[in-house]
Every structure is written in structure tokens, then in C-alpha cells.
Amino acid sequence: MTVALLTPPARQVLPNGASNARLDGPQVFARYSFMPNQLGYCGADDPGALFDYAVAGMTDTGLRLLLGSFQGAVPYMKLIAQGNLIADPFDRRVVEAYWIGNDLLNHVEARALHASLQARFARQMSQKTLELVLGKAPAGARPHHSFHVIEVCPRNGWPQALGYMDNCRISWGQVQSVVGAELRTATPPLILQDGQLTLAAPVMRQVLRQIDGRGFTDHVQPGDWISIHWGWACQVLTAAQVRQLEYWTQYHLRLANQTL
């Protein structure tokens, strides 16, 4: 069952689980960036190293260098850090703001997002497409992963197939059972209904949690909530994190539907 959210949370709520509490910003980033890196979509060509860092729970200069190669995500995190006077764009609060969502997103000015998008994509999009994307900043867009997936990627050379967007966004699911290296989860899919993007009622979905007996959610139990990226279980989420992720996903779906 999806977690309903009527109003945005007033403040960031950090995870209270023991395993989550030990994760710093680079470790959180590694968990969300591993699978698209493994598939060859983004980042440096070394997914094995990224995986090993995340499994070991070790952060050093090498991990930060690997994460710096993700030129889709890092510019957004720099915006979030600057807007909140946080020196390190890999600060955990900043990383969670981008991948999951929190109140830091509300402190990024529209003009800063507009300028960043223009600098990054002016040479990659037609003028008409660029104007549409830039117009999302004053309309209320925030530097969250869902904005990039729904508004930018389909207009920047990526396929516009609905399934592609659904796999690339960070989704959430409640674990129904653990079967070896896979989880059976109840997850709301992204669908097109009456010409509008929307999240449907949860469906059963198989999610990969381990490779060669190792993963990021080894202690997951039925009833837990997890985040999912490209069919991979990234992290066990608290209820507060699920609400944040759903809120910001729905927020950017509504914004996208204004110009479909």
C-alpha cells in the first residue's frame, strides 16, 4: 500500500534505523547511483568499485572521485548545497534531498535552477525544448531526481518510453517476501492515464537485492519499505522518507502534466 501524503513535511527527518544511521552522504549516493552505473547510463566506467565501496560502507577520496563523475546528479546537489549554505555537496542532507527529498529543496531559488539548466543544456536541446525546460524553474521545479527524469531526460536524447522513466525514477515499495537474491514488493507504477502521468495502485514487482550474495539491503524483512532504482533495492526507508519521496515525485508529476 502506498503512503499517502497531503502536505509536505515541515522539516527533514533523518533515518532512525541503525544501518541507515551509519550511512554518510557518499554512501547514500553510492547506493542510488550503482545500478545506472552498472547499466552504463552514467558515471565513471567502474561499477565494481562503486559496489564494493557501498557494500563495505567505506568512504574515502576514491569514492568521492567516482561519485564526482555523475554529471547528471552532482550539479543539482551543488545547487542544493549552495542554496542552503552547506559547504559539501556530498553532505548527507544534500544527497537525500536530491535522491529522496527533504526541505532543503525549498531553499533553492528558481533563478539559480534556471541558470544551471541553461548552462548545462543550451547546446544539447533545441531552443523550443530548452525554453520549455527552463520554464519549469519559475513554475516551481526543484532540483530533485524526479524532475530530472520526468522533465529533462526525455528531452535530452533519452527514450521517452514510459517504462524507461518508471525504471529511472526512484520508486518505493513495501516488501512482501524475501526470496534469495530478490524481493517481492508492492510498488506503485508510473502510467499514462487520460493523457496525464500518474501513479497507479501498487502492483507486485520483483526487485533485485543482491549480486553474488552481496547487496545494500541484506537485512531487509517483509513489511519494510525500500527505495528502487532500475530494479535494484537501494536502501531500507523509514516511513518519513517514503512520504518525502512520494511527495516530491507527485509534485513533479503534477508540474510535468501542465505541459504534456
Side-chain angles (χ1 to χ4, degrees):
M1 172 178 286
T2 188
V3 175
L5 180 68
L6 299 179
T7 57
R11 60 184 178 86
Q12 161 75 345
V13 180
L14 293 179
N16 54 23
S19 60
N20 274 345
R22 289 195 296 266
L23 298 180
D24 61 18
Q27 284 295 317
V28 174
F29 192 162
R31 282 155 173 73
Y32 286 92
S33 59
F34 162 67
M35 187 50 71
N37 188 229
Q38 171 86 341
L39 295 171
Y41 294 135
C42 53
D45 187 21
D46 199 354
L50 193 61
F51 184 75
D52 288 342
Y53 269 116
V55 169
M58 182 177 73
T59 296
D60 62 10
T61 302
L63 176 58
R64 284 177 171 264
L65 287 173
L66 280 175
L67 298 178
S69 69
F70 286 84
Q71 290 308 303
V74 172
Y76 290 116
M77 296 197 309
K78 288 181 178 178
L79 279 177
I80 297 167
Q82 292 165 3
N84 289 275
L85 302 179
I86 296 173
D88 182 8
F90 292 103
D91 183 289
R92 176 179 175 141
R93 296 165 295 171
V94 173
V95 174
E96 285 202 351
Y98 176 70
W99 291 109
I100 299 173
N102 61 40
D103 191 53
L104 297 189
L105 296 174
N106 290 318
H107 302 151
V108 179
E109 293 185 355
R111 61 183 177 181
L113 178 59
H114 185 283
S116 177
L117 293 171
Q118 186 167 43
R120 293 172 66 185
F121 302 116
R123 297 183 180 180
Q124 301 177 35
M125 299 177 178
S126 68
Q127 185 61 34
K128 181 178 180 180
T129 299
L130 180 64
E131 289 176 359
L132 190 152
V133 171
L134 294 178
K136 296 294 180 169
R142 299 289 188 268
H144 185 260
H145 184 67
S146 61
F147 165 72
H148 186 69
V149 170
I150 297 166
E151 297 282 13
V152 178
C153 287
R155 300 183 173 94
N156 195 35
W158 283 39
Q160 294 197 36
L162 190 65
Y164 208 83
M165 296 169 67
D166 200 21
N167 276 312
C168 191
R169 73 182 178 93
I170 308 302
S171 56
W172 56 93
Q174 189 170 36
V175 176
Q176 307 300 300
S177 60
V178 181
V179 184
E182 294 187 332
L183 303 173
R184 187 168 180 263
T185 68
T187 305
L190 181 66
I191 65 170
L192 190 65
Q193 185 175 62
D194 300 326
Q196 299 280 279
L197 291 168
T198 189
L199 296 175
V203 298
M204 291 300 107
R205 181 177 176 184
Q206 297 298 120
V207 177
L208 185 65
R209 74 180 182 103
Q210 290 182 330
I211 297 174
D212 295 330
R214 300 190 302 161
F216 310 152
T217 59
D218 290 348
H219 302 293
V220 70
Q221 298 292 327
D224 287 344
W225 290 90
I226 61 166
S227 51
I228 305 163
H229 198 194
W230 287 103
W232 173 255
C234 302
Q235 184 182 10
V236 176
L237 299 175
T238 65
Q241 289 175 309
V242 177
R243 289 195 295 270
Q244 289 278 7
L245 183 53
E246 180 171 13
Y247 172 77
W248 289 107
T249 301
Q250 295 280 22
Y251 180 95
H252 285 110
L253 286 176
R254 289 193 295 270
L255 191 63
N257 285 331
Q258 294 175 7
T259 52
L260 279 187

